[in-house]
Amino acid sequence: MAQGRSSNNLVVPQANAALQQLKVEAAQELGVTLPQDGYMGNYTSRETGSLGGYITKRLVQLAEQQLSGRSNL
């Protein structure tokens, strides 16, 4: 697998920019510096797990808001 490449395929490829922005915001809030080249192999499991968990939590909150009709994006 190439560096900085994910094996995950997006169902909606147009969502890539929004997901990248969410990753940047999550990293800032958690104090994790994202590498310029996108390669996260030098990060600890705690750092990447915290980042992934935060992103998942935020995506669930956004989905719940949309389902309840309160889209505050």
Side-chain angles (χ1 to χ4, degrees):
M1 184 184 310
Q3 282 187 345
R5 295 287 179 141
S6 174
S7 61
N8 296 333
N9 295 320
L10 296 177
V11 175
V12 181
Q14 298 83 356
N16 192 40
L19 289 172
Q20 289 303 319
Q21 180 61 32
L22 185 58
K23 183 192 288 186
V24 169
E25 291 173 10
Q28 287 174 343
E29 288 202 27
L30 295 173
V32 176
T33 304
L34 295 176
Q36 292 292 334
D37 63 1
Y39 179 68
M40 305 259 317
N42 297 325
Y43 286 72
T44 66
S45 296
R46 177 180 287 268
E47 290 170 322
T48 56
S50 294
L51 190 55
Y54 183 90
I55 291 170
T56 301
K57 178 181 174 183
R58 187 73 180 112
L59 288 171
V60 169
Q61 288 173 340
L62 290 169
E64 287 174 343
Q65 287 175 356
Q66 286 184 336
L67 288 172
S68 70
R70 303 175 313 184
S71 184
N72 296 342
L73 303 176

